[in-house]
Amino acid sequence: MLRYAKPVAITAAELEDFTRMALELAWQAGRATLRYFRSELVIDDKRPNGRFDPVTEADRAAERVIRDGLVKAYPAHGIYGEEYGHQAGNGLTWVIDPIDGTRAFMTGMLHWGLLLALFDGEKPVLGVMHQPFTEEFFYGNNDAAFYRRGRHERPLRCRECPSIEEAVLTTTSPKLFEGPGERAAFDRLESAVRLSKYGGDCYIYSMLAMGFVDLATDAGLQAYDIQALMPIIRGAGGVVTTVDGRDASMGGFIVAAGSARLHSLALARMKER
Amino acid sequence: MLRYAKPVAITAAELEDFTRMALELAWQAGRATLRYFRSELVIDDKRPNGRFDPVTEADRAAERVIRDGLVKAYPAHGIYGEEYGHQAGNGLTWVIDPIDGTRAFMTGMLHWGLLLALFDGEKPVLGVMHQPFTEEFFYGNNDAAFYRRGRHERPLRCRECPSIEEAVLTTTSPKLFEGPGERAAFDRLESAVRLSKYGGDCYIYSMLAMGFVDLATDAGLQAYDIQALMPIIRGAGGVVTTVDGRDASMGGFIVAAGSARLHSLALARMKER
């Protein structure tokens, strides 16, 4: 398990190098997933007696590509991945979700992506979301965030939304709010917004960073589901915490907003009874 | 309004010509929509006192491209489009939804597409679904259906699914089942399937035709929301009707399945009380 620890300082030059490597490995791993996308898949079920949770060969192939690359480039670093678990290191840990949005992937849909973050012990300092089929990258480092597709690159910027009533809300599925009080909190928020839209996994947080969605929320997230997205959202000017306002690095019930003001309005609305 | 009439016979050569033209106009109209995708949009609201229903400049620009092309190529044909209404013709009518999935479009997401069908008075004989951002085409003529992306082209084929319990079900949103008994019918089906997934508009029917989804259902559809998808689904071996088993050409509460057997199982399940 990933745990909080005293943060490891990294230099600007290191951050630049890590970013370049993360983008390169995401690309390579993405090529590996595409060999399985929309083809006959071998589908496992991680929890045989529980909820349906497909794991594909693509997941494993992609994580192996990233792990192999990281071990070669940064042998001292730790690695924490959805498929192959945790390997401790010098305090810097790469956090991998090889395919976020496995239901989308297995149904041939487009809203899935590869997530790669670098956790310094306190927070993710670098995050990459890569959609291999569309060849898109969303990446950030808390201070800035960028969108890249082919030779096109531009900054990501959340949009301003003055009130809950004018907000566009997204969630992967309302059925994922399964914990005590979670669905009620979501329903309170949903009933107040201008428009809500279901489906999307990591893609909805990327659209929040791009300024086309105002609020995004999901419950039951793991650290590897959210860490890569945090430096992107923050780098684009957004705010992301748990529903009770705490650090989001370890996952849980997450609320992201395009601005600090909208974020606190949303948390307040979800807390009402 | 589009109405049923005595079907107009067309030859195989005509069908081939119409198909080529439909693909070309879809491509051109798609280029027009991309000028507005993920940019600052002028968003209208078609029903100022009703549910939020964005119509963008992109919608109108795309429909104009298609109408202009059709009037030039087939001046005798009728045209029925979401944005610019109905223009009667010789009994053959082109049916246009310039952007199916406007919520997806306006939030920067990917599951939207341009729909173009040719209605012969009795049924759609040709359908094209085009996603301009991913440069994908799904098209069919009831007898065959194809997927095209760049120089890659291959037949579309639904998959076999032996039972409701093993099926993957998709719907754009459970909130769209607003008519009397609609939500209950959907809930009965959803509670029986292996997995359900929300979000997707025309894209979920395309994935059914590609063999990655077993059941797709939406209520409140218009003729232009479903006609283009029917010849694709049927050409891939699937079945699509209204929930009470009638012709789907005029929209309504639609149920599509990858096989006749699964389709009748689904209708029976939705009818139970």
Side-chain angles (χ1 to χ4, degrees):
Chain A
M1 280 294 292
L2 196 64
R3 293 184 201 284
Y4 288 107
K6 191 169 176 308
V8 175
I10 62 173
T11 67
E14 282 173 325
L15 182 60
E16 202 176 308
D17 176 53
F18 296 157
T19 304
R20 205 166 27 232
M21 179 62 66
L23 290 168
E24 173 58 30
L25 291 177
W27 173 263
Q28 287 177 23
R31 294 301 97 187
T33 62
L34 285 187
R35 288 200 296 273
Y36 299 90
F37 183 56
R38 295 186 182 171
S39 67
E40 294 306 311
L41 296 174
V42 179
I43 291 169
D44 283 3
D45 192 327
K46 267 196 294 202
R47 295 179 242 169
N49 302 315
R51 197 167 53 188
F52 186 77
D53 185 15
V55 185
T56 63
E57 292 296 324
D59 250 314
R60 293 192 278 256
E63 187 166 326
R64 284 196 301 268
V65 167
I66 293 178
R67 282 184 178 259
D68 291 352
L70 290 174
V71 164
K72 244 179 250 170
Y74 312 119
H77 292 189
I79 303 180
Y80 176 57
E82 186 187 9
E83 295 299 323
Y84 293 101
H86 191 206
Q87 173 189 322
N90 66 348
L92 287 175
T93 307
W94 293 89
V95 179
I96 312 166
D97 188 354
I99 298 175
D100 181 69
T102 44
R103 282 186 186 210
F105 187 93
M106 67 172 291
T107 52
M109 307 286 283
L110 303 175
H111 296 149
W112 54 275
L114 184 151
L115 298 179
L116 180 56
L118 181 61
F119 183 64
D120 73 355
E122 185 181 69
K123 64 180 182 305
V125 292
L126 163 65
V128 173
M129 185 293 225
H130 174 46
Q131 212 303 352
F133 185 79
T134 57
E135 305 191 351
E136 296 176 285
F137 291 91
F138 302 78
Y139 67 102
N141 61 19
N142 297 311
D143 289 326
F146 301 92
Y147 174 71
R148 182 187 290 181
R149 191 185 191 205
R151 281 167 302 184
H152 169 79
E153 176 156 303
R154 63 187 168 99
L156 290 169
R157 196 74 211 152
C158 294
R159 72 178 171 200
E160 266 302 325
C161 177
S163 71
I164 299 288
E165 287 67 27
E166 290 162 83
V168 172
L169 167 70
T170 54
T171 185
T172 299
S173 171
K175 289 193 297 183
L176 300 178
F177 298 96
E178 292 176 326
E182 289 183 350
R183 180 61 189 256
F186 172 75
D187 287 346
R188 277 195 293 275
L189 185 62
E190 186 184 34
S191 66
V193 298
R194 177 171 61 118
L195 185 151
S196 70
K197 194 179 178 318
Y198 299 160
D201 290 276
C202 57
Y203 217 90
I204 63 182
Y205 298 89
S206 305
M207 285 305 110
L208 185 135
M210 200 180 247
F212 292 103
V213 161
D214 304 300
L215 292 164
T217 181
D218 279 302
L221 296 188
Q222 301 294 321
Y224 48 72
D225 291 324
I226 193 66
Q227 284 216 359
L229 300 164
M230 293 168 63
I232 302 171
I233 294 167
R234 291 171 173 166
V239 175
V240 49
T241 67
T242 63
V243 71
D244 49 7
R246 289 187 226 174
D247 182 72
S249 299
M250 297 305 165
F253 186 165
I254 301 297
V255 180
S259 71
R261 182 177 149 72
L262 189 67
H263 184 263
S264 47
L265 289 172
L267 292 200
R269 182 70 61 133
M270 295 172 93
K271 214 182 288 172
E272 279 168 17
R273 21 164 114 228
Chain B
M1 279 294 293
L2 197 64
R3 292 185 201 285
Y4 289 107
K6 192 171 174 308
V8 175
I10 61 173
T11 66
E14 283 173 325
L15 182 61
E16 201 177 309
D17 176 53
F18 296 158
T19 304
R20 204 166 29 232
M21 179 61 66
L23 290 168
E24 173 58 31
L25 291 177
W27 173 263
Q28 287 177 23
R31 296 299 98 188
T33 61
L34 285 186
R35 289 200 296 274
Y36 300 91
F37 183 56
R38 294 186 182 169
S39 67
E40 294 307 311
L41 296 174
V42 181
I43 291 169
D44 284 2
D45 192 326
K46 265 196 294 201
R47 297 178 240 170
N49 302 315
R51 197 168 55 190
F52 184 77
D53 186 13
V55 185
T56 64
E57 291 297 323
D59 250 314
R60 292 193 278 257
E63 187 167 326
R64 283 196 302 269
V65 167
I66 293 178
R67 283 185 178 258
D68 291 352
L70 290 173
V71 165
K72 244 178 250 168
Y74 312 118
H77 291 190
I79 303 179
Y80 176 57
E82 186 186 9
E83 295 299 324
Y84 294 100
H86 191 205
Q87 174 189 322
N90 67 348
L92 287 174
T93 308
W94 292 88
V95 179
I96 313 166
D97 189 354
I99 298 175
D100 182 69
T102 43
R103 282 186 186 210
F105 186 93
M106 67 172 291
T107 52
M109 307 287 282
L110 302 175
H111 296 148
W112 55 274
L114 185 151
L115 298 178
L116 181 56
L118 181 61
F119 183 64
D120 74 354
E122 186 181 67
K123 64 180 183 304
V125 292
L126 162 65
V128 173
M129 184 293 222
H130 173 46
Q131 212 302 352
F133 185 78
T134 56
E135 305 189 352
E136 296 176 285
F137 292 90
F138 302 78
Y139 68 102
N141 61 18
N142 297 312
D143 290 325
F146 301 91
Y147 173 73
R148 183 187 289 181
R149 191 185 191 204
R151 282 166 302 183
H152 169 78
E153 175 155 303
R154 63 187 168 102
L156 291 169
R157 195 73 212 153
C158 295
R159 72 179 172 200
E160 266 303 325
C161 176
S163 72
I164 300 288
E165 287 66 28
E166 291 162 82
V168 173
L169 167 70
T170 54
T171 186
T172 299
S173 169
K175 289 192 297 182
L176 299 178
F177 298 96
E178 292 176 326
E182 289 183 350
R183 181 60 188 257
F186 172 75
D187 288 346
R188 277 194 293 274
L189 185 62
E190 187 184 31
S191 66
V193 298
R194 178 172 61 119
L195 184 152
S196 71
K197 193 178 178 315
Y198 300 161
D201 290 277
C202 57
Y203 218 90
I204 63 182
Y205 298 89
S206 305
M207 285 305 111
L208 184 134
M210 200 179 246
F212 292 103
V213 161
D214 305 300
L215 292 164
T217 182
D218 279 303
L221 296 189
Q222 300 294 322
Y224 48 73
D225 292 324
I226 192 65
Q227 283 216 1
L229 301 164
M230 293 168 62
I232 302 171
I233 294 166
R234 290 169 175 169
V239 175
V240 49
T241 67
T242 63
V243 70
D244 48 8
R246 288 188 228 175
D247 182 72
S249 299
M250 297 305 164
F253 187 163
I254 301 298
V255 181
S259 71
R261 183 178 148 72
L262 189 67
H263 185 263
S264 47
L265 289 172
L267 292 200
R269 183 70 62 132
M270 294 172 94
K271 215 182 288 175
E272 278 169 18
R273 24 167 108 228

